[in-house]
Structures are given as C-alpha cells and as structure tokens.
Amino acid sequence: MIFITRRERFNAAHRLFRQDYTDEKNLEVFGKCSNPNWHGHNYILYVTVKGEVNQETGFLINLKELSKVINLHVIEKVDHKNINLEVDFMKGKLASTENLAISIWDELDLPLQRLNAMLHSVKIYESENNIVEYLGPKINFGS
Amino acid sequence: MIFITRRERFNAAHRLFRQDYTDEKNLEVFGKCSNPNWHGHNYILYVTVKGEVNQETGFLINLKELSKVINLHVIEKVDHKNINLEVDFMKGKLASTENLAISIWDELDLPLQRLNAMLHSVKIYESENNIVEYLGPKINFGS
Amino acid sequence: MIFITRRERFNAAHRLFRQDYTDEKNLEVFGKCSNPNWHGHNYILYVTVKGEVNQETGFLINLKELSKVINLHVIEKVDHKNINLEVDFMKGKLASTENLAISIWDELDLPLQRLNAMLHSVKIYESENNIVEYLGPKINFGS
Amino acid sequence: MIFITRRERFNAAHRLFRQDYTDEKNLEVFGKCSNPNWHGHNYILYVTVKGEVNQETGFLINLKELSKVINLHVIEKVDHKNINLEVDFMKGKLASTENLAISIWDELDLPLQRLNAMLHSVKIYESENNIVEYLGPKINFGS
Amino acid sequence: MIFITRRERFNAAHRLFRQDYTDEKNLEVFGKCSNPNWHGHNYILYVTVKGEVNQETGFLINLKELSKVINLHVIEKVDHKNINLEVDFMKGKLASTENLAISIWDELDLPLQRLNAMLHSVKIYESENNIVEYLGPKINFGS
Amino acid sequence: MIFITRRERFNAAHRLFRQDYTDEKNLEVFGKCSNPNWHGHNYILYVTVKGEVNQETGFLINLKELSKVINLHVIEKVDHKNINLEVDFMKGKLASTENLAISIWDELDLPLQRLNAMLHSVKIYESENNIVEYLGPKINFGS
C-alpha cells in the first residue's frame, strides 16, 4: 500500500452566506467572507490516492493520468470561476472549503476507481493558514 | 542606506475586461480572467522602504508602524473585497496586477514619507507564478 | 468527518538542559541546543480539529474562533517569550519540541471541546527540517 | 506516542524505462521520463519516526542521530548519483518514486530500530506537485 | 516602468566537468557535481521583463504570451533533458547555472523584444540554497 | 556580470532594548521584542556576490567556497547563540536585523574579496513577514 499525492491549483471567487439570513446575520456568522461583491482565493488542492505498486511500471498510478482526471473533473469547472454561481457540483451548497472538499471527493471518487486508484484524501489550502482535509464518507486507513 | 520589506496578504475578487469591448473581444484579450462572474486570488504584497538606520533605535522604521500604514491605506480597502467594484483607489482602472501595484504605490508614498521612510518597491504575487513589481514613477537606486 | 487545520506562528527563546547534569553532560546530550545564553526559533504551529460539518453554516468550526482559542491559550503565552522561564504550561518540563507539542495539546483540548471541535493533531515546525506531531494521549482515527 | 519528522534533500538523475520495452513503448508508458539521456530532480525526503518521549531527555529521538542515520544509509548513496546506475538498494528495480520510497524504508527500518525509534513514514517530494508516501509493509497506526 | 516576472520550472540532468581535465582534477574542482553518471535538479526559472503599462489592456505584457515564449524557447528544450548532451543552446559550454542563465537570456532576448517587452533578469534556483541571476550584457536599470 | 546567492540559516536569541531606557520606554519603543528574558528566530540569510564568470570553470565562485566563508565568518558565530551577549561583531550594537545585516556585510566583505568575489547584498529574513537587505556602504549597481 502506497500513497501518491498530486498538487493542482485553481483561482476562484466565492462568498459565504445564506439567503435565509439577513445581511446582518450573514455578517455576524460569516464575517467579511459574506461580502456580497465576492472575494477570492488561490486554492491549492492536494489529491491523494492509495493502492499497490504495479510491478510492471513501478507506478501506483501514472501521475499524468491522475492530473488529467483532476483537471477534467475539478479544475476546469472551478478555475477562474465563481464557486457559488458557476460550479455545477456546488449548486445549492454553502461555498465553504469544507463543502468544497467533500464535493471534490464526490467528483473524483468514481473516475479514480476506473483508473484502479482508491481515493484517500482531498486536502485544500484556502490560504497558507487555513486548510481542510476530507478522508471520505467512511474513513479507511488502508487495512 | 538599508532596505526593509514587510509582507502583507489580502484575498480579493477581480475581473479583467473593458466595457467598450464585446464579450468576445474581452475573452480574446484577457482570456478566462475576463469571466463576468469574477474570480479571485490570495494576493501577497511586499512593500519595501529604504533609508538610514536610526542610531538610537537600530531601526530604519518600526515594522509595526510600517505594517499599520500598509493595513490602514491598502489592506483594509482590498481584503475580502471586489477590486473592480469596491476599491476607491482602483476606480476607473483596469484591475490588472500592474495597475494594482502602481495604485498601491500612490496610496503608500505620502503616508510613508510622514514616517521618514522612502518607498522603494511595491511587489505583488498574484500567484506563485505571476509577480509584478513597481519601483515608482522615477526609478531611483538610492543615490 | 472532516479535518480543519489552522496555522499560527510564534517566536520564542529556549534552551535544552537538565539542572542535574553538568555543563559537559548537557553539551554531550543536547549539543549546541544547551547553550546557557539561550537560542530561539520561529515556531510554526498547525492545530487540526475534526468533526462533522454543521449543515447550517457549512463549517466544522469557524476558523476565526479556532484562531482566537489558539491565540488565547497558546500564542499569547509563548510568543516573544522564553519557553523555559516564562511559559506556565512548560514549567518543570524540558523545553523540547516534543514536550511543547504535548503541552499545547493539553492547553487546547478542553477549550476546543467547548466549541464542539475535537482536537486531532498538534504539529510544530521548529525549523524547516525538524517537525514534531502529537495526536493525543490515545490515538483515535475518527471512528 | 509522538511523531518526529526529519527533512533531508538529495539531487539525483534517473530514468523510467524497461529494457524489455521498445523505445516507443517506453515513451508511451513513461512519457518524457523515459529520456535515454536521463533527467533529474531535487528530491525532498521526509522521514517520520514514532515512539514514546524519553522522560530524561524530553526527546523521542535525538534529531542529530536521526539525521546521521538517514545520511549514512540513504543520502550518501543517492545524492549527486544516478539512481538507475549507482544506487545499490535500487539495483534491478524501476527507478520510480514509489519504489524509491519503499526501498528507503527498507534501508532505514533496522538502523532506526537500533536507536529505539519505530519508522512510521517515508515521504518523498519528487517535485512540488508530485509526492509519494509509504507507511511500511503493514500499516500500523500506533496501537 | 514596471517589472513582471513569470516563474517556470524544468527538471534536467547535468554534470560539471572539463574533458581536458583528469577525473581527479574534475573531482577536485567540481566536487560531486562532476559525477560521470550525471545528477539532476528541479530548476526554477524566473524571467523578468520591464516596460510601460499598455493603457488599453492594463498589461505590460500578457502573461500567457510571456509563458508561451519561455516554454517555446527554453522549457521545451531543457525539461526532462540532459543539459550537457541535448540542449542546443548549451552545446560546447560548461553546464553551470551561471552559463545556463546567460544562455537562457540569449534565447529569450529577441523573442521578447518582438513582444515589445524588454528582458530585465533571468534568475535560476538550482536548489533552495543556490541561486544565480543574470541582468544581461550591459546592466540597465531602466533609465 | 552575474549574481550568485547562497542561502544559509541560523537560529539565535536576541532582545531589542537600550540600557539607558527605562523598562517602560523599552516596551514603548521596541514592544514585545524588548522582553528581558529574550526571544528568538530562525534567521534566513541570503548572501549575494557578483562578478564575471570564470571561463575555465563556468563559475563566478565555487558555491562550496562561498558557503564555507559564510559559515566560518558568520554562521558559526551566531547559530544557537544569543546575539546580544555572545556575537563579537554585534558587541555594543542594538541587536536589530538592520544592524545584523550591516555587521554581516562587514564580516564578509574582505574574505569574499580574497576569493575574487564582490559582495553585492546581505539579505535577512527575520520572519516570513520581515525582511532586511543591505547593499553596502556605497551602492554600486555593477557599473
């Protein structure tokens, strides 16, 4: 069992708010992240897969393939986009980094299984100080 | 003559476009940065001042003071804001990192002179790959 | 179950030594870290909490709150301090990064429980080459 | 139970290929990494050990000792070397980062046991985007 | 006058040696960098251009264009290559980072002039500790 | 003319204060940096030299030699030391990063001239946010 991580990056706008809150309530709960005119981030995404090393190639997974899957299913949908308005897999959800990590897991899980790679972790740096990691609906430490 | 640099950070939304361009022209010139629904960045700002070391304090400038000035005149105006819509010193300008660097210079020049510090450079990392530096209206290498 | 990490930083002086050792013995065991005149570090602290995402806010925990708790219970007590002489929660302990991580866990565990966040990890970078992580008195991988 | 990580670095040349593949097949499977004239990397190696804190020293393990063991058993054998041609513990293996991580684990496991440190993880950054981690032949989360 | 920097990366093998030196002399002068079986690096390249901001676009230069020029004239020729054997613009030169920086300047100078951008600096990180910068055949600080 | 930079690191304790100030005055001027029990930093030092490339070696200066000179004249004197009490070249000076940069310049200038390298810059990162650079008693941009 080995773990391989691919780093990808995307730049996006978002806003934290609830439509059923007043502006005051949104400001109270979400602070300046609730700014109605949006703000944005350089998100850094780390996707980790796990599995056995293929004896013929020495690879768990070809990193070019891993990168392609992440770009097709995630980066192209979020890069230079508005997460609240334009990202199909975030529709109807609060645009928090927690929800983003969970939704990216859901986007990647099946396509990676088709490459015989088991998704282990989706980790997002919203900034150098704020990091979210999701290990999937049932945590499985490789046993 | 010594140079002191303070790093500050802000997260903001922006969009590159001209109102007198069609959407197609904006897309052609500015690429995905012209997305009408905005995108954003974690901007990293390096402000460098220069001058003589004060013999009594061993400082060129108290870094707390430098940080306060940058926060008051720049960070509070751009952090978690939309650069196109909400930043007074960017009104009527294309929201490029070049224009941002020049405008931040103009915001900081006088307040720093009042602290007896001469502004030397405003440097902005829009991403880890894209960096803009402005050395002022007439470049003066300290002579 | 999701994991959220907040990065905070502090600068402190410390010294590794035992009073019941001779100077020679201290030098032999702790090397130049035993310097009687102290040395110091820019410590980087990563605190990870885990739990369920609150469906109303999309947050596991408000990162501002997490940061406040870490600052109140840890950073204010260690930043610009001498770890051996001035930090209450390190009194009577060797000022190793291992002990620092364990003591910071003990400082944060209860206050974080009061925020409904379960502490998962305390990780300290003493330098870019030396890193310590503590996962608590009984390791619990989220089950 | 505490975890200590030491970062070390090495620069090496390598090539991904199989002798029983044609050049075309190597190019197809391994891409530009199969270049017959080699290419290379600044590898960054993180070695994590785990165990109990020694009450007398406050250490899990003396980081100087840990660094010495890693340098003696790994760095001196790979730094400024050709991984395919010159590294004894990689002889006969595909020079993938996966195989490198597993082989470095095998090199370090016993020498670290002699220092009463249990190896927990070998993590290699081949680049800022590509990372491999190996947790050993049977994953053991510290119980 | 404004300065724009684009970061690009490449991985390559090289060797420092002179054919007219004995192996002993090569080892003495170039140390382990003279290893006949090569070693390699993750080179990080920063290319800085300078000029006036175009009032219509707010750009000094479109960073996509800048990146394309650097990739076409430099990265495609050195990435996953052997600098001594395969890079046309390094033929007959010692593969030192100094010579690499000067040669990359010579590769980029004309193509960038065609984009109305004046090359200001070529900076290469061979490792996090070793950095070379070249400001061109006659240093011109923008006056 | 080419520029070569070597990065070195040191960990040290210091305190900002004047003996002729009261404790209150020291606190007012130097803030928490005046803590009588010291604090410390992981200082990062960048030393840049400039000159012509030696046609025989392709080097401006052998980086091993540059590193040796910096270690002999600076690092060994400051690493794991108290800058106020133990560093000969800081005796009688305020232990500010400005004074440290100037004093390190004075330590390195002559030894580097003996290696035919002209010192260009001494740059110190006291933290990721606070940076000081000194270009010598008369700034000379290489003409």
Side-chain angles (χ1 to χ4, degrees), chain D residues 35-54:
Chain D
N35 178 12
N37 288 313
W38 319 99
H39 67 284
H41 296 289
N42 299 346
Y43 292 93
I44 305 178
L45 170 65
Y46 290 87
V47 174
T48 302
V49 298
K50 62 187 169 193
E52 301 296 331
V53 175
N54 177 323

Side-chain angles (χ1 to χ4, degrees), chain F residues 7 87 100 103 117-118:
Chain F
R7 188 184 81 125
V87 179
L100 197 55
S103 300
M118 198 178 355

Side-chain angles (χ1 to χ4, degrees), chain C residues 60-134:
Chain C
L60 162 53
I61 184 177
N62 189 316
L63 274 161
K64 286 250 160 51
E65 292 301 314
L66 178 54
S67 177
K68 246 189 240 171
V69 166
I70 302 171
N71 273 276
L72 182 66
H73 292 275
V74 178
I75 304 301
E76 287 178 14
K77 293 177 178 177
V78 291
D79 188 35
H80 284 76
K81 300 291 188 206
N82 184 307
I83 294 173
N84 299 65
L85 303 179
E86 297 179 294
V87 179
D88 60 0
F89 61 72
M90 290 298 289
K91 283 281 161 65
K93 303 174 188 167
L94 264 155
S96 69
T97 312
E98 287 91 327
N99 283 340
L100 198 55
I102 295 170
S103 300
I104 288 174
W105 176 286
D106 291 340
E107 285 299 295
L108 291 174
D109 195 20
L110 268 176
L112 287 171
Q113 282 180 33
R114 275 183 230 119
L115 290 177
N116 291 321
M118 197 179 355
L119 190 52
H120 173 70
S121 157
V122 169
K123 195 172 186 174
I124 302 176
Y125 282 67
E126 192 192 65
S127 75
E128 64 188 36
N129 293 335
N130 298 340
I131 310 159
V132 167
E133 185 172 27
Y134 183 58

